[in-house]
């Protein structure tokens, strides 16, 4: 997962329809494992603000190149 990717909430965490599609704005790495990262996402249903999520709660839709 990189900045610019489109993501959805994993169905195991919440209903993806509730949040819509998100755009990864920033990734803050806190440890050595990729799953330790905090991902800042701007959701289509909350366009005015970013939310922070753990990387494992997200599912990539479209990876940027």
């Amino acid at each position: 997962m990189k900045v610019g990717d489109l993501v959805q909430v994993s169905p195991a965490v919440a209903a993806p329809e509730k949040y819509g599609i998100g755009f990864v704005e920033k990734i803050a790495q806190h440890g050595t494992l990729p799953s330790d990262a905090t991902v800042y996402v701007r959701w289509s249903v909350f366009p005015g603000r970013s939310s922070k999520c753990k990387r494992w709660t997200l599912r990539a839709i479209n990876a940027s190149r």
Side-chain angles (χ1 to χ4, degrees):
M1 189 176 303
K2 300 179 207 163
V3 172
D5 287 352
L6 295 177
V7 295
Q8 274 187 326
V9 172
S10 173
V13 176
E17 304 83 35
K18 184 176 179 181
Y19 292 92
I21 296 174
F23 178 78
V24 176
E25 293 186 320
K26 177 181 163 184
I27 298 175
Q29 189 67 41
H30 299 294
T32 57
L33 297 174
S35 60
D36 293 338
T38 299
V39 181
Y40 293 85
V41 180
R42 187 167 303 262
W43 296 105
S44 58
V45 295
F46 306 116
R49 63 184 171 97
S50 292
S51 299
K52 60 182 181 176
C53 309
K54 287 296 190 180
R55 188 179 193 131
W56 57 268
T57 64
L58 301 172
R59 181 177 62 157
I61 295 176
N62 181 23
S64 64
R65 300 188 191 263

